[in-house]
Structures are given as C-alpha cells and as structure tokens.
Amino acid sequence: MAQADVQTTAGNETLLVKQMKLNIEHLYQTVGQSPDYVIRHYSRSVEPGLTAAVVYNANLSNRQAIDDVITHLFDESRPCEQERDEHLNPLHWVMAQASLIGSAAKSMNWKTVIRAVVTGDLIIFVEGSSEAVIVFTQGMEWRAITEPTTQVTIRGPKDSFTESFSTNISLIRRRVKNENLWLEMFTVGDLTETDVAVMYINGLADEKVLQEMRKRLNAIREDGILESGTIEKHLMDKKLSPFPTIYDTERPDGVVGHLMDGRIAVIVDGTPFVLIAPVTFFQFFQSVEDVYQLSDIGVLIRLLRYVGYFISLMLPALYIAAITFHQEMIPTPLLISLVAQREGVPFPVIVEALLMELSFELMREAGVRMPRAVGQAVSIVGALILGQAAVQAGIVSAAMVIIVAATGIASFTAPAFNIAISVRILRFVLMILASVFGLFGILIGLFILVAHLSSLKSIGMPYFAFNLKRGQGKG
C-alpha cells in the first residue's frame, strides 16, 4: 500500500495511524533514511503487554536518559505497580511510566513528532495506537559559561551567554526571581526552525511595543536563522542606516538591567548574543558597569565616551578643512610646523588622509581575522612600522599619522561594537565634504546626520530621544 494511502489527515495536518510499522516507515522516509536516526523495537510480555518502537537521533539525544527510559519501560523484572484501569490501554501506561522518568507528552500530529525527533527527543510508537509518546531527552555538548569576550568586565559578574538556549534563559531567570518575568516562544526559519524567545517584565514593558515585536517576528520569512543578526535585520525600522537600532549583548546582567527598565529581550537559539529593543542612540554609550560605580564616576566615564566618539568622527575632517581652507584658524607657529612637514608630501591632504585611514582600517581588520596569538602583535607592530616608513618616505606627514592614530584610539572608547562601526563609515563622508566645502561641508554633514538620527525609530519608538520613559518602550 502506498504511503499516501495510509496517512490520515485532519485539515492540513498529517496524523499518525494505528499500524506501528507504517508510522516508522513514514518517519524513516521523512528524515531521508539518515543513519544517525536510531530505531529500536521492544516488547513487553508481562502486564500490560505491548509492542513498541523507540526512535531517536544519536547525535542530539542524551543516551543516558534514553537508556533510563527504555530500562524503566521494558525491564520485565522490575515491578510496576499501576492502577488496573491504566493497564487497559498500553499507550496510557507508557505515558505514565515515561512521565516518572522525565518530561513526556503525547501527540498524533506528524509535524510535532518530526520536530521532536530532529531536536533530540525520544519518540515511542506503540502498536495499535495512533498517538506517539514524546520524551524530552535532548542533550549535547555546549561551550561552558565563560567571561564575556566582546564586552570586557572590570567590575561585575563574570558570566556570559553561551550557544545553549536553555542556559541563556536560566542565566536571566536566576537574576530575576519574579513571576512577572514572562517568556514567549516563536519558531523562525523554514528550514532551521530556530527557537526564538521574547522575554520581558509584565507591567514594565510597553504593550504596543510587544505587539509590534510579535508582529515582526511572525512576519520573518527566512530559510535559516543561524545567528541573532538575521533576526536583528528584520526588527530594524530602517534597513539603510549606519546606526544600529537594536542593541546586542552577551552579558546577562546587562540584559536584566534593560528588562528592569522596561525593554524587551530577544533570545535566539545557537548564539551567545541577546537582542534588546527598543533603545536610543545614547544608550549605546552606556555600560552596565556604570551602575556599579559611584554616580559621579559613571557620568564622567560616559562623557569621556561621547568625547571619544566625537573625536573619532570629526578629527580627520577638521584637520582637512583647516589645512585646506581655514589656515587662519591655526596658530601661526603650529601652521608653520604643519606646512614644513607637508613640504615634501606629493599628495593633497584628502588623499593623504584617505590613504592613512584606509591603511589603518585594513590593519585593524587584519588584526581581528588573524590567529589570536599573532593578530595583536602584527597589528601594533605593523602600524608603527608602516607609519614611520610612510613619514620617512615623504608619502604622508607626521601630523597626519598622529591624527589617524588619535582617531583610531578614540573609536575604541565606545562600549558597543556596532556603534563604533557607524563612525568608521561616516568619518569618510565627512572627510570628503571637508575637502570640498571646508567647515561648511562639515556643518552640512552634521545637519544631515542629526536629521537622519531624528528620523530613526527602534520598534516604533524615537531613536534619538535622550531616554524613554518606563512603560513607553523604555527599558
């Protein structure tokens, strides 16, 4: 009999049938007869008598948990005291016994059964029953909880998120022992079917923002979700913007701080980075450690980050504008020194600046991609040697090397990596405007920049607001 003839349907859902053999054949064909899916047949002659088959994935399941379930069910020497009415139905008996070992559920829907077995659960088919028992036996090796790698911790907890979905949720729940910490589950990705969790504190998070978040997650149409960055693209209001409107962090204490401020956390299975929304532009310059410091020290450090961001954005453009168009603004002794340095340089200031900035960005990217043992040394030594050789060869001036070095150092003061990327892009735009229009070009660029920031929104909330009130999207 053809497979299509033995599978019953209810609406658009395919259901199991009572013949165990047909159910196993359908499952085996659905997973492509992959050898890592293990099928074992068992029978029990003592009361209640039954014939059953178990199916699991050898690479995703916890073998010890599976052995415990099988031993508990089919070891006839072990006495099983059950009520007489449960003996009448073998499926009910299997369900009751499996529940004594761990979490178990019944389902007659093939989609649910397939989803369970491909995620590492144990499936038990019972002869004569159109339902299967699903026992939670997921288990695989995960990276241990370690210190954050992208957000260095000076004072505060040293743990960070991992790629384990359940571990990340537990790291948050252990810090917020409150019944108002709610969690909603979504499945995103047509092929990967990635688990995505939305966590928020009921009563603090804005309901309109929650509705918008649910709407955007349900609207995602992707074949695969491999990292939270894919989710972030779909949550952003404007795609063509250098500024991030969704915050990401690998620090559990940072997520808890945002939750207590009324924001929403999005946890994606398989990645150690948790998304936070809605956020403002100024919150990318705040670190969770600011709360652990004295208030005046925290404010001073935060102001220092703003200064660093302004320097990394404006310094090369201001230098180009001053040297090219506004020499009268430079003190005479300094101007004489700068002109003397540039005497043998064959390129205009803008070309000189672009060459040095591009070289610095190349070295920074190479330092990130090279093996950790040599990456930092090569990037630092390469920068020193390249800068000194360029000055001695007369390609660039010493002042330009200082400008580029100060700009690069200032760009590292931002605690969020993605906000630092935006300034690396915008810096070149302001440099070109300064070389064409001078200070007027910089002012035009800043005016457009502020207008663009004012137009951005994060999950429908204003992005350039200094802060968002609790219950109105702020977290």
Side-chain angles (χ1 to χ4, degrees):
M1 185 178 294
Q3 180 178 335
D5 297 332
V6 298
Q7 301 300 326
T8 61
T9 59
N12 295 326
E13 297 181 351
T14 305
L15 306 180
L16 279 73
V17 295
K18 292 186 177 182
Q19 294 89 340
M20 185 180 68
K21 179 181 178 181
L22 298 179
N23 289 330
I24 294 175
E25 291 178 354
H26 178 74
L27 176 63
Y28 203 48
Q29 292 178 12
T30 302
V31 298
Q33 301 182 4
S34 302
D36 56 341
Y37 288 98
V38 180
I39 301 175
R40 296 287 184 265
H41 293 268
Y42 296 92
S43 62
R44 181 181 176 88
S45 58
V46 299
E47 188 179 11
L50 61 89
T51 301
V54 298
V55 183
Y56 61 92
N57 188 292
N59 298 320
L60 298 178
S61 303
N62 185 330
R63 187 56 187 268
Q64 182 60 49
I66 292 176
D67 291 342
D68 291 342
V69 173
I70 294 176
T71 302
H72 189 82
L73 289 175
F74 303 106
D75 184 4
E76 298 184 357
S77 62
R78 187 187 60 81
C80 295
E81 297 181 1
Q82 294 292 329
E83 296 294 334
R84 295 292 303 176
D85 57 351
E86 291 184 357
H87 292 185
L88 299 178
N89 191 324
L91 180 72
H92 292 171
W93 183 86
V94 170
M95 179 65 187
Q97 293 297 314
S99 299
L100 297 176
I101 302 299
S103 177
K106 294 187 297 184
S107 178
M108 63 175 58
N109 188 304
W110 265 115
K111 184 176 181 181
T112 303
V113 172
I114 297 298
R115 166 74 175 174
V117 75
V118 299
T119 55
D121 290 335
L122 174 69
I123 308 300
I124 304 176
F125 294 107
V126 178
E127 180 64 47
S129 175
S130 59
E131 290 183 289
V133 176
I134 302 173
V135 185
F136 182 83
T137 56
Q138 298 178 19
M140 58 181 299
E141 296 296 329
W142 294 103
R143 180 172 60 93
I145 297 176
T146 58
E147 291 190 32
T149 56
T150 59
Q151 296 172 317
V152 180
T153 302
I154 299 176
R155 179 175 182 177
K158 301 294 184 180
D159 55 345
S160 65
F161 291 119
T162 69
E163 290 75 17
S164 173
F165 189 64
S166 58
T167 300
N168 294 341
I169 294 177
S170 65
L171 288 174
I172 298 175
R173 286 202 176 275
R174 66 179 293 193
R175 287 174 165 85
V176 185
K177 303 177 182 68
N178 191 285
E179 68 277 6
N180 289 318
L181 179 60
W182 289 9
L183 178 121
E184 298 181 13
M185 294 294 299
F186 297 84
T187 302
V188 183
D190 296 335
L191 294 179
T192 59
E193 295 188 358
T194 305
D195 290 326
V196 177
V198 172
M199 294 191 75
Y200 58 93
I201 297 180
N202 184 44
L204 296 183
D206 188 276
E207 185 60 33
K208 293 182 180 179
V209 178
L210 280 171
Q211 291 290 351
E212 183 64 24
M213 179 72 76
R214 298 184 188 108
K215 177 182 176 182
R216 297 187 185 187
L217 287 175
N218 289 323
I220 295 177
R221 294 295 179 267
E222 290 278 352
D223 289 338
I225 303 296
L226 304 179
E227 214 278 331
S228 58
T230 307
I231 299 289
E232 180 180 355
K233 297 174 185 177
H234 291 275
L235 296 181
M236 294 175 61
D237 288 68
K238 281 189 177 181
K239 305 299 189 296
L240 298 178
S241 175
F243 296 99
T245 55
I246 306 294
Y247 187 79
D248 64 85
T249 179
E250 59 174 341
R251 295 187 57 169
D253 56 335
V255 173
V256 171
H258 287 291
L259 290 175
M260 291 190 299
D261 284 337
R263 298 185 187 93
I264 304 169
V266 180
I267 306 170
V268 181
D269 188 19
T271 175
F273 291 93
V274 173
L275 304 179
I276 302 293
V279 292
T280 67
F281 171 78
F282 303 99
Q283 285 163 357
F284 285 91
F285 297 92
Q286 300 177 12
S287 173
V288 65
E289 296 181 16
D290 297 344
V291 182
Y292 307 147
Q293 303 286 349
L294 297 175
S295 58
D296 51 348
I297 297 177
V299 171
L300 179 62
I301 294 176
R302 196 175 305 168
L303 290 175
L304 192 62
R305 297 187 190 118
Y306 289 128
V307 173
Y309 189 84
F310 182 81
I311 290 175
S312 62
L313 177 66
M314 299 291 296
L315 187 59
L318 290 174
Y319 177 78
I320 293 172
I323 292 295
T324 306
F325 295 100
H326 310 286
Q327 296 90 346
E328 69 278 0
M329 299 181 62
I330 306 175
T332 302
L334 178 59
L335 179 61
I336 293 173
S337 175
L338 294 176
V339 172
Q341 294 178 29
R342 287 194 43 79
E343 186 176 357
V345 177
F347 304 112
V349 180
I350 179 61
V351 176
E352 180 187 7
L354 289 176
L355 285 175
M356 287 302 298
E357 287 290 347
L358 286 174
S359 300
F360 184 84
E361 293 297 333
L362 287 174
M363 285 186 292
R364 173 153 52 181
E365 188 66 18
V368 172
R369 304 303 171 190
M370 291 184 66
R372 185 175 301 178
V374 297
Q376 185 176 3
V378 170
S379 61
I380 295 175
V381 174
L384 293 174
I385 295 176
L386 182 61
Q388 183 179 3
V391 172
Q392 292 179 352
I395 299 176
V396 297
S397 62
M400 180 58 71
V401 175
I402 296 175
I403 293 294
V404 172
T407 301
I409 294 173
S411 66
F412 290 113
T413 58
F417 176 75
N418 46 6
I419 198 68
I421 294 179
S422 66
V423 76
R424 292 165 62 181
I425 300 173
L426 296 171
R427 184 190 307 146
F428 288 96
V429 178
L430 290 181
M431 287 166 56
I432 295 174
L433 289 174
S435 67
V436 178
F437 302 107
L439 289 178
F440 296 103
I442 296 178
L443 291 176
I444 292 172
L446 289 178
F447 178 79
I448 297 174
L449 184 60
V450 172
H452 175 70
L453 285 170
S454 301
S455 67
L456 292 178
K457 292 184 180 296
S458 177
I459 314 295
M461 305 302 293
Y463 179 69
F464 204 45
F466 185 75
N467 212 341
L468 296 176
K469 295 181 180 180
R470 179 177 292 185
Q472 295 183 357
K474 176 191 174 187

